[in-house]
Amino acid sequence: NAGVMQNPRHLVRRRGQEARLRCSPMKGHSHVYWYRQLPEEGLKFMVYLQKENIIDESGMPKERFSAEFPKEGPSILRIQQVVRGDSAAYFCASSLRQGSSGELFFGEGSRLTVL
Amino acid sequence: QQQVKQSPQSLIVQKGGISIINCAYENTAFDYFPWYQQFPGKGPALLIAIRPDVSEKKEGRFTISFNKSAKQFSLHIMDSQPGDSATYFCAAGAGSYQLTFGKGTKLSVIP
């Protein structure tokens, strides 16, 4: 499967716990994006990363959220001290080229439920 | 100014009919307008996209119409099939990676 791989597909956490979502981009893609989808809403941009660099995190909440894309391994979206409002589907996308808004390929998402 | 407004919220079409979904935007810097199809439990998949230098683009049964002066674009699905039942999102981008999505249209095609 050469698509964008996300795991876990479903994650349940209690308030105050940490959530870690992982994303492996398509083969050959070095640009990774995270989007969040709230129920009955469209996707909203969170962060754009390249290997070892955060390029744009303007859509990330200022607190509790962080993202990384290490030299080796998948990109990680980390949510500390989760609250009920963090319950959403988190989608990762990757692209081959920088600055190419048309070439985003999305994974199947990680659905976070906070109890 | 970053909004993309999508309508209708839901749509029921008979098999063989035409499904039409409309979107409007405000930011004149947008230069890329894709449509995504999303099935339940799946990620959005790029369906078709258009840039503002053309007014229409057709791929199979799917057509995008684009009206630059009105800042509107629409998706037409001809000969709609039950397998087309999904949620459709329009989006807009300004030459970068940040797509602004509409809220989605849930399409149901009934036999």
Side-chain angles (χ1 to χ4, degrees):
Chain A
N1 187 344
V4 177
M5 302 301 292
Q6 290 188 247
N7 68 81
R9 294 292 313 281
H10 300 275
L11 183 63
V12 178
R13 286 287 178 264
R14 295 192 181 280
R15 281 180 298 172
Q17 291 185 318
E18 179 179 287
R20 283 192 179 218
L21 310 177
R22 289 175 291 277
C23 169
S24 296
M26 284 183 71
K27 188 176 181 180
H29 288 191
S30 59
H31 305 276
V32 166
Y33 317 83
W34 286 92
Y35 280 76
R36 177 165 65 175
Q37 184 178 34
L38 295 170
E40 308 300 322
E41 296 282 327
L43 286 76
K44 295 201 185 307
F45 169 80
M46 298 181 74
V47 62
Y48 163 37
L49 309 104
Q50 293 179 25
K51 285 286 187 182
E52 301 184 279
N53 286 304
I54 297 174
I55 307 302
D56 181 353
E57 55 182 350
S58 59
M60 287 269 276
K62 293 287 186 280
E63 297 177 350
R64 303 186 298 107
F65 284 71
S66 62
E68 62 176 9
F69 190 15
K71 187 176 180 181
E72 301 290 337
S75 175
I76 307 282
L77 179 67
R78 182 183 179 203
I79 312 171
Q80 295 178 290
Q81 300 174 338
V82 296
V83 301
R84 289 220 174 105
D86 297 334
S87 295
Y90 292 83
F91 289 94
C92 171
S94 71
S95 72
L96 182 62
R97 293 183 294 274
Q98 180 181 5
S100 176
S101 58
E103 304 293 341
L104 296 186
F105 295 88
F106 284 86
E108 295 198 333
S110 292
R111 282 154 182 83
L112 172 65
T113 301
V114 179
L115 302 177
Chain B
Q1 194 168 4
Q2 291 295 322
Q3 276 189 321
V4 174
K5 295 183 179 178
Q6 183 171 348
S7 63
Q9 198 171 8
S10 63
L11 182 61
I12 299 174
V13 173
Q14 285 220 301
K15 179 182 174 182
I18 302 173
S19 303
I20 302 174
I21 304 171
N22 301 299
C23 284
Y25 64 97
E26 298 170 2
N27 187 350
T28 54
F30 287 146
D31 63 355
Y32 183 78
F33 303 89
W35 285 88
Y36 283 83
Q37 179 188 56
Q38 185 179 29
F39 292 104
K42 301 294 186 181
L46 181 63
L47 192 62
I48 186 172
I50 197 168
R51 294 197 183 268
D53 52 343
V54 296
S55 60
E56 187 174 282
K57 182 174 181 180
K58 184 176 181 179
E59 289 184 1
R61 295 184 295 110
F62 301 92
T63 300
I64 298 180
S65 297
F66 184 78
N67 186 330
K68 189 174 181 179
S69 60
K71 292 187 284 187
Q72 295 175 344
F73 58 110
S74 60
L75 176 70
H76 291 63
I77 306 175
M78 312 299 287
D79 187 25
S80 300
Q81 299 296 313
D84 297 330
S85 297
T87 299
Y88 292 81
F89 292 95
C90 62
S96 67
Y97 42 83
Q98 284 197 34
L99 291 177
T100 301
F101 282 81
K103 291 192 174 183
T105 296
K106 187 174 182 179
L107 171 65
S108 300
V109 181
I110 55 176

